[in-house]
Amino acid sequence: RWVRDHSHDQECCVIPYFAGNAAQPGWEALCRYFLRELKRRLSLDYPLPEDREGLRRSMFILPRMAAKKSRVVLVIDEIEALFSQQIPELSWLPAELPEGVSIVVTAGAGQLVDLLRKRPHREISLKALTPGEIGHISQTYLAAHAKTLGSHHSEMVCTSPQAVNPLFLITLLSE
């Protein structure tokens, strides 16, 4: 919701990337997307590289250039989906960010979270949703899409063990 509410903010360039829904896995596709969007949204004059080393280098350069024009927030949702076919590595993700640049990453438990924890960033752990929160989110989401659930189906959603995960819940409700 935060991403949706801030995506059109004139004072902040928010660029979300939903790795779980990406057409191409891998950090290279994510970098190409972020770099292309930074160039387009902030009218930056910078050549887009195609090779891995150029992409890695550009992820350190272009956000710094962008921060001179606008506050920048890069959002990577479900980062572990980038590495479904390969060993996780984060050399492409700047460990130190210039002033005016933030990166928000969501990740489940595992090796990737351990790598992220070695970096000097703030971690916020989210608790599982309660049945009441699941019900409220379900009603709000469905109402925004002019849909409703009957009480039986609503009860099934609220008591589903998987629905405590917000990503699962939204995916379920969107179906």
Side-chain angles (χ1 to χ4, degrees):
R1 182 176 180 177
W2 184 91
V3 170
R4 185 188 70 225
D5 292 346
H6 290 83
S7 290
H8 302 291
D9 188 338
Q10 297 299 322
E11 296 179 19
C12 183
C13 180
V14 178
I15 304 174
Y17 188 86
F18 302 100
N21 295 337
Q24 295 180 320
W27 63 266
E28 299 90 340
L30 173 140
C31 290
R32 281 187 195 94
Y33 176 77
F34 278 154
L35 297 171
R36 189 173 48 249
E37 286 299 303
L38 285 171
K39 276 188 60 138
R40 184 182 68 78
R41 293 185 190 190
L42 299 173
S43 301
L44 299 173
D45 183 26
Y46 189 84
L48 288 180
E50 288 300 319
D51 64 290
R52 295 178 85 184
E53 188 51 42
L55 289 169
R56 187 178 283 116
R57 193 173 36 255
S58 295
M59 281 298 291
F60 289 80
I61 296 169
L62 211 56
R64 186 174 308 281
M65 290 172 62
K68 292 178 182 176
K69 291 190 166 198
S70 173
R71 199 170 122 236
V72 174
V73 179
L74 304 177
V75 179
I76 307 168
D77 186 42
E78 204 179 347
I79 192 171
E80 60 272 14
L82 295 175
F83 302 101
S84 61
Q85 305 296 320
Q86 52 190 257
I87 297 171
E89 64 93 8
L90 298 173
S91 64
W92 54 273
L93 185 66
E96 294 184 23
L97 301 171
E99 188 173 330
V101 176
S102 299
I103 299 177
V104 177
V105 176
T106 68
Q111 182 182 9
L112 195 52
V113 171
D114 295 339
L115 289 172
L116 288 166
R117 284 183 175 142
K118 292 178 181 177
R119 292 168 166 246
H121 303 294
R122 184 173 62 166
E123 177 181 349
I124 300 171
S125 294
L126 301 178
K127 295 178 184 170
L129 296 174
T130 66
E133 291 169 328
I134 293 168
H136 177 74
I137 291 169
S138 297
Q139 288 176 340
T140 304
Y141 181 87
L142 292 170
H145 294 86
K147 296 179 181 179
T148 61
L149 281 179
S151 59
H152 174 70
H153 289 109
S154 181
E155 180 69 23
M156 286 177 60
V157 170
C158 289
T159 57
S160 169
Q162 297 96 335
V164 299
N165 178 324
L167 181 61
F168 175 88
L169 179 59
I170 295 302
T171 303
L172 175 67
L173 296 172
S174 68
E175 298 297 322

